[in-house]
Amino acid sequence: MFKAFLIKYGEIGIKGKNRHLFEDALIHQIKYALKPVEGEFLISKEQGRIYIEAQTEYDYEETVESLKRVFGIVGICPVVLVPDQGFEQLASDVIAYLDKRYPDKNKTFKVNARRAKKSYPMSSMEVNAALGERILDAFPEFKVDVHHPDIMVNVELRGQINIYSEVIPGPGGMPVGTNGKGMLLLSGGIDSPVAGYMIAKRGVKIDAVYFHAPPYTSERAKQKVVDLARLVARYTGPIYLKVVNFTDIQMYIYEECPHEELTIIMRRYMMRIAEHFAQETGSLGLITGESIGQVASQTMQSLAATNEVCTMPVYRPLIGFDKQEIIELSEKIGTYETSILPYEDCCTIFVAKHPVTKPNLKIIRRSETHLEEKIDEMVKKAIDTTETIRVE
């Protein structure tokens, strides 16, 4: 029945003179999302509305599912577009729409007309009343309910007239790429993919870095992270994933530093390396999946200790979430089942039995002096041998 979709956006509408830049970014993301979908589409914009018109046969369900992953969209409306040929023709078009769309007429309805075309000879209220009367004449089983109708018959009077009654919720947020770029520290766990999703929802383009520790972590653990990046990329667009061989650095820290400080010191070196790649690729900050108090390395003191080695901001979108909230989000975006696959990453392999929960920065720095003989060379080697994978 539907050959077109009306796309509604939220925050973009208050962007003033820059609004067209955000609209263009949203259209770019829509085109990316629809690229693998069967069918050809024409995308256009007009007065606060974006239209997607199918030029060929297409897969309706696949199209809707793809659009539900585009940040910036708040509503996806399967719409019938008709030319303005006067009220009588409009009434016929609305009655034909309702007859086809709702075979069961035992429902309540309300007409909601909006007159964007101010030259239209009737006011919005007059259109509401006249269309309501025509609908009741055509379908006596229908009843009017202006407060809680089963069907909201939306009629937008523009250059062409939009008729629709369903608004499928979109993810909201801002189009990816409108708020700079960030570097996500991506592990094989539950939290970091969700953090990537959350920051991208605010318009941030993301790349990612993963710390691999062969032979202690398997190729399957690495593939798990690539799979997670691919799931996140459904929302964010392509992700360039940096795979860092971290084994030598981890083993050296393990040999030279107190075991209760292992996690903190390892994370400090991860942050240093991630910041190097962030600066190299034009990212404006690091992104992690940390949440206060979730584990020993995420207490306020531990977070301060890892932050101390960074010169750029560290964004933690999940900082105030509890674990169940994060799990629910991961289930919603489709990463949970992959995250819980039993392939350990380097952090879990080398975790201390009794990690320090309130690290003292002076003591941590003193412990790191034991590494000075070789660590810079190891970091350089890890950076130089990093593998880059483009994930879509």
Side-chain angles (χ1 to χ4, degrees), residues 79-369:
V79 66
V80 171
L81 305 174
V82 298
D84 180 8
Q85 297 176 326
F87 178 77
E88 292 301 322
Q89 183 60 47
L90 171 60
S92 296
D93 290 334
V94 170
I95 288 167
Y97 168 84
L98 290 172
D99 193 30
K100 193 169 184 181
R101 183 74 179 84
Y102 299 100
D104 177 11
K105 304 297 189 293
N106 188 25
K107 293 182 182 295
T108 60
F109 77 96
K110 175 184 177 180
V111 178
N112 178 35
R114 295 183 62 185
R115 192 179 62 150
K117 182 182 178 182
K118 298 307 179 187
S119 62
Y120 198 82
M122 300 169 69
S123 71
S124 297
M125 293 299 292
E126 288 170 336
V127 173
N128 286 339
L131 276 180
E133 185 177 351
R134 294 299 181 88
I135 292 168
L136 289 171
D137 287 344
F139 309 118
E141 310 97 302
F142 272 151
K143 290 182 174 59
V144 174
D145 183 343
V146 296
H147 298 294
H148 304 288
D150 298 325
I151 305 167
M152 180 68 77
V153 185
N154 294 287
V155 178
E156 295 189 357
L157 305 167
R158 296 172 174 265
Q160 60 183 352
I161 296 176
N162 306 332
I163 304 169
Y164 62 96
S165 59
E166 182 181 14
V167 182
I168 302 164
M174 299 291 289
V176 171
T178 55
N179 276 315
K181 185 194 285 189
M183 181 63 71
L184 172 68
L185 279 78
L186 182 62
S187 72
I190 295 170
D191 304 337
S192 55
V194 177
Y197 167 90
M198 291 290 289
I199 205 83
K201 187 175 180 179
R202 299 308 308 155
V204 178
K205 176 80 178 74
I206 64 170
D207 288 328
V209 57
Y210 162 61
F211 294 90
H212 191 41
Y216 302 100
T217 53
S218 66
E219 279 300 304
R220 190 62 194 84
K222 173 183 165 183
Q223 185 58 47
K224 174 183 171 182
V225 173
V226 173
D227 292 342
L228 285 171
R230 185 169 291 115
L231 292 169
V232 175
R234 295 185 303 167
Y235 298 90
T236 66
I239 294 173
Y240 287 90
L241 175 65
K242 304 281 187 182
V243 180
V244 180
N245 189 327
F246 202 57
T247 308
D248 291 347
I249 295 172
Q250 280 195 302
M251 291 305 300
Y252 188 46
I253 294 170
Y254 186 83
E255 291 165 3
E256 299 294 333
C257 298
H259 283 197
E260 66 273 14
E261 298 171 9
L262 287 177
T263 305
I264 295 298
I265 294 174
M266 285 176 188
R267 286 196 67 79
R268 279 164 65 89
Y269 277 96
M270 288 178 179
M271 299 294 262
R272 289 178 172 106
I273 293 171
E275 185 173 67
H276 168 87
F277 289 121
Q279 291 170 341
E280 188 177 77
T281 58
S283 292
L284 301 174
L286 302 180
I287 306 150
T288 76
E290 292 161 316
S291 166
I292 291 175
Q294 191 176 132
V295 292
S297 63
Q298 295 176 23
T299 63
M300 289 288 280
Q301 294 88 342
S302 297
L303 296 177
T306 53
N307 264 28
E308 194 248 355
V309 301
C310 300
T311 59
M312 60 171 52
V314 181
Y315 299 103
R316 297 178 170 94
L318 309 182
I319 195 71
F321 285 46
D322 63 36
K323 195 66 178 184
Q324 187 56 40
E325 289 173 316
I326 299 170
I327 288 172
E328 287 170 5
L329 259 175
S330 71
E331 290 173 335
K332 174 187 169 184
I333 68 175
T335 57
Y336 179 73
E337 293 300 328
T338 302
S339 291
I340 61 173
L341 292 173
Y343 305 106
E344 304 290 357
D345 61 26
C346 60
C347 293
T348 51
I349 294 292
F350 286 90
V351 70
K353 286 185 178 179
H354 303 289
V356 60
T357 57
K358 297 180 180 179
N360 182 304
L361 260 177
K362 290 181 180 178
I363 295 173
I364 295 293
R365 289 196 205 105
R366 190 187 311 141
S367 297
E368 286 183 345
T369 61

